């Protein structure tokens, strides 16, 4: 394997490791968000988009080159080389290497996109969870304040009645607090609606992350299968050479 394909294979192994690491279930999105917001990651992220585009361009170029090599060494199916077994073996070896490089570049490109999407979804999920908690606390605080205010208002009305004040006068005095109670109820209703919307967005983000994790697991299984086939082909090639 040449130096460039060794580097791509190493990059692919690193991608598989990080995808599996992000798929660990007992590490919460909040913890990942803290890692993403650390000083080192933020320093890297300043040029992260540039690095990502450069890596993407290199992988696309290598994938196209591998695809061209596969088409180049597929000539053995069109040309009769039965009288030259050494040439057939050489072409098959070149074809196998080209196909191997094509798989490596393709999976590296796919996992690069998948890794970026996973980190984005985890960050969004952590932000939604934080917003959900903030809205929940705000709604609980507004509900408790409204309840306390209504209790104080009822207690004040009872004291006014015990003092022998007339009902019309009491109603006039109570007009202001009633209006405020209505406003507080509307605020509580609005906060509950916002909390419900945040919960729905969080559930959607959870389903997206689960789907991406499932896709990453399937890709890992497929990659292991291809590695097994690769080992079998190498073993058969060694036997032929012997």
């Amino acid at each position: 394997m040449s130096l460039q394909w060794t580097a791509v294979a190493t990059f692919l192994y690193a991608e598989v490791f990080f995808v599996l690491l992000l798929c660990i279930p007992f590490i919460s999105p909040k913890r990942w968000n803290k890692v993403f917001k650390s000083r080192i990651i933020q320093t890297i992220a300043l040029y992260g988009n540039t690095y990502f585009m450069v890596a993407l361009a290199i992988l696309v170029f290598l994938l196209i080159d591998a695809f061209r090599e596969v088409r180049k060494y597929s000539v053995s199916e069109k040309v009769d080389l039965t009288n030259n077994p050494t040439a057939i073996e050489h072409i098959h070896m070149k074809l196998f290497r080209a196909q191997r490089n094509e798989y490596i570049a393709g999976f590296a490109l796919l996992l690069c996109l998948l890794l970026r999407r996973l980190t984005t979804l985890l960050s969004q999920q952590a932000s939604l969870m934080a917003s959900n908690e903030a809205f929940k606390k705000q709604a609980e605080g507004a509900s408790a304040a409204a309840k306390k205010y209504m209790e104080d208002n009822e207690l004040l009305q009872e004291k006014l009645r015990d003092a022998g004040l007339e009902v019309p006068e009491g109603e006039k005095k109570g007009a202001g607090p009633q209006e405020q109670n209505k406003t507080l109820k509307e605020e509580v209703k609005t906060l509950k609606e916002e909390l419900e919307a945040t919960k729905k967005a969080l559930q959607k983000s959870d389903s997206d992350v689960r789907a991406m994790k499932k896709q990453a697991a399937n890709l890992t299984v497929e990659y292991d299968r291809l590695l097994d086939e690769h080992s079998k082909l190498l073993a058969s090639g060694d036997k032929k050479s012997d």
Side-chain angles (χ1 to χ4, degrees), residues 3 9 16 21 36 60 77 85 92 99 106 110 126 137 144 166-167 187 190 192-193 197 233-234 236:
L3 182 62
V16 172
L21 190 65
F36 296 154
V60 169
E77 300 176 358
H92 283 173
Q99 289 173 341
L110 186 61
K137 290 180 180 179
E166 296 181 0
V167 176
E187 290 179 359
T190 303
K192 286 182 177 179
E193 291 175 353
L233 287 172
L234 283 178
S236 63

Side-chain angles (χ1 to χ4, degrees), residues 30-229:
K30 288 184 179 179
R31 188 167 297 179
W32 279 122
N33 195 36
K34 289 181 181 179
V35 174
F36 296 154
K37 289 184 177 180
S38 62
R39 184 177 298 177
I40 298 175
I41 302 298
Q42 287 296 316
T43 304
I44 297 173
L46 290 175
Y47 304 98
N49 193 47
T50 303
Y51 295 152
F52 175 75
M53 296 304 296
V54 170
L56 210 63
I58 293 173
L59 290 174
V60 169
F61 174 77
L62 290 174
L63 181 61
I64 294 172
D65 183 64
F67 182 72
R68 182 185 61 81
E69 291 289 320
V70 170
R71 289 178 60 88
K72 175 182 176 182
Y73 291 110
S74 298
V75 69
S76 62
E77 300 176 358
K78 302 177 182 179
V79 180
D80 186 13
L81 297 174
T82 54
N83 297 326
N84 194 349
T86 305
I88 293 175
E89 184 178 352
H90 179 73
I91 289 177
H92 283 173
M93 182 183 65
K94 291 288 188 181
L95 180 62
F96 167 74
R97 289 179 179 176
Q99 289 173 341
R100 177 201 61 192
N101 295 339
E102 185 179 15
Y103 282 123
I104 290 174
F107 276 108
L109 179 62
L110 186 61
L111 285 179
C112 187
L113 297 171
L114 180 63
L115 194 61
R116 182 181 176 88
R117 184 61 177 164
L118 266 177
T119 54
T120 303
L121 285 174
L122 286 171
S123 299
Q124 289 177 354
Q125 186 181 11
S127 300
L128 287 172
M129 290 175 69
S131 300
N132 184 22
E133 290 180 0
F135 281 128
K136 187 176 180 181
K137 290 180 180 179
Q138 190 176 359
E140 289 175 352
S143 179
K147 185 177 179 181
K148 186 176 182 300
Y149 192 84
M150 290 174 66
E151 290 175 354
D152 293 342
N153 188 27
E154 290 176 358
L155 184 61
L156 179 61
Q157 288 180 358
E158 289 178 2
K159 288 182 178 180
L160 289 174
R161 292 191 189 96
D162 293 339
L165 296 175
E166 296 181 0
V167 176
E169 184 180 355
E171 290 178 353
K172 288 180 183 178
K173 290 181 178 291
Q178 287 177 0
E179 189 68 20
Q180 293 180 2
N181 287 337
K182 184 178 179 181
T183 304
L184 285 173
K185 287 180 180 179
E186 291 176 354
E187 290 179 359
V188 170
K189 183 179 179 182
T190 303
L191 288 172
K192 286 182 177 179
E193 291 175 353
E194 291 177 354
L195 179 61
E196 190 67 24
T198 305
K199 285 181 178 179
K200 290 180 179 179
L202 182 60
Q203 290 174 357
K204 184 178 180 300
S205 178
D206 282 335
S207 62
D208 289 341
V209 171
R210 291 193 194 98
M212 295 297 290
K213 286 182 177 180
K214 185 176 180 181
Q215 185 179 0
N218 292 334
L219 286 173
T220 304
V221 171
E222 182 65 18
Y223 180 69
D224 291 337
R225 185 183 68 79
L226 289 172
L227 282 180
D228 291 337
E229 292 181 2

